[in-house]
Amino acid sequence: GQQLNQSPQSMFIQEGEDVSMNCTSSSIFNTWLWYKQDPGEGPVLLIALYKAGELTSNGRLTAQFGITRKDSFLNISASIPSDVGIYFCAGRERNYGGSQGNLIFGKGTKLSVKP
Amino acid sequence: NAGVMQNPRHLVRRRGQEARLRCSPMKGHSHVYWYRQLPEEGLKFMVYLQKENIIDESGMPKERFSAEFPKEGPSILRIQQVVRGDSAAYFCASRPGPPTYEQYFGPGTRLTVT
């Protein structure tokens, strides 16, 4: 089935650095969502995007819905230790006749602290 | 407003037993989704339900797996005759309905089959 390509797979951050990650698909999406998951917990919704070109912020997090509707980006500015975790992109594919609302997830970007 | 509740948080079953996972959506949410997550993987869609209806079960194995969301009470994901390969984290998510498609997740049930 459809899969999202999320990159990078992992990255190390130093406190204060800016972080960028992205997600791409081979088909058009109507909705992009970004989640963060801590170990042993469920994903927590960070940002939701509904329109191509939309740029939305949530504190130090900023996400964009790509103009082509096939990609999305998440930036974290001035990272802090509690930003560590796994970030997932998720999208709702535009389809005709299929059920509404199902999300397709990327495999995640794991943020760790630089040793 | 309480979030999505799932129980149990951890479930250990021997091969061949049944596993029943429960999910209570957020108040006012009538759409429920079940996802499965393997270690180091993203979440894979299993089934989408509204009250008393299965809308899409295309991600759920045809055998041994079933789901329901009755008029009263939580949504149930049932796995019969569990096998080791069923070991995973199972997450439930809910949303209120169109036009919003934001899904809110519960803490998950970690199933271990021994």
Side-chain angles (χ1 to χ4, degrees):
Chain A
Q2 168 69 267
Q3 282 211 320
L4 296 182
N5 295 312
Q6 188 171 349
S7 65
Q9 283 189 323
S10 62
M11 56 193 310
F12 289 90
I13 58 171
Q14 201 150 46
E15 190 170 352
E17 284 181 341
D18 294 345
V19 172
S20 291
M21 60 192 79
N22 67 79
C23 218
T24 59
S25 72
S26 56
S27 59
I28 290 173
F29 277 56
N30 282 344
T31 307
W32 286 97
L33 305 171
W34 286 91
Y35 289 87
K36 183 190 179 207
Q37 186 176 27
D38 291 324
E41 300 295 328
V44 174
L45 181 64
L46 300 173
I47 294 179
L49 303 156
Y50 287 95
K51 291 180 184 173
E54 182 181 355
L55 189 71
T56 298
S57 292
N58 177 6
R60 294 176 297 102
L61 277 62
T62 302
Q64 183 162 26
F65 192 141
I67 289 290
T68 64
R69 297 173 71 184
K70 292 184 178 181
D71 56 9
S72 180
F73 306 87
L74 176 70
N75 296 312
I76 305 173
S77 63
S79 58
I80 60 177
S82 61
D83 290 334
V84 162
I86 302 179
Y87 292 79
F88 290 101
C89 62
R92 184 174 71 93
E93 192 177 7
R94 183 183 73 177
N95 56 14
Y96 299 96
S99 66
Q100 297 290 306
N102 300 354
L103 295 179
I104 300 167
F105 279 79
K107 290 197 171 183
T109 294
K110 185 175 182 179
L111 250 58
S112 306
V113 175
K114 262 183 195 168
Chain B
N1 186 11
V4 178
M5 314 264 287
Q6 286 187 252
N7 66 81
R9 293 290 306 270
H10 300 274
L11 182 61
V12 179
R13 284 286 177 265
R14 286 198 291 271
R15 278 180 298 170
Q17 290 185 318
E18 178 180 287
R20 289 170 71 90
L21 287 61
R22 286 176 288 277
C23 167
S24 296
M26 288 178 72
K27 189 176 178 182
H29 288 195
S30 57
H31 299 247
V32 166
Y33 301 79
W34 285 92
Y35 294 86
R36 170 184 155 118
Q37 185 179 40
L38 294 171
E40 309 298 318
E41 294 280 329
L43 288 86
K44 291 279 172 34
F45 165 77
M46 296 181 72
V47 62
Y48 163 33
L49 311 104
Q50 294 182 32
K51 283 285 187 183
E52 299 185 276
N53 286 306
I54 296 176
I55 307 301
D56 183 352
E57 56 185 347
S58 61
M60 197 161 66
K62 294 275 187 285
E63 296 177 0
R64 303 189 298 107
F65 285 73
S66 63
E68 62 177 18
F69 188 14
K71 189 176 179 182
E72 302 289 338
S75 174
I76 306 282
L77 178 68
R78 183 203 290 182
I79 311 172
Q80 295 178 299
Q81 298 175 317
V82 296
V83 301
R84 287 230 173 94
D86 296 333
S87 295
Y90 292 84
F91 290 95
C92 163
S94 72
R95 71 175 174 98
T100 180
Y101 290 94
E102 296 155 37
Q103 294 183 19
Y104 296 87
F105 283 81
T109 294
R110 273 121 192 109
L111 172 66
T112 302
V113 179
T114 60

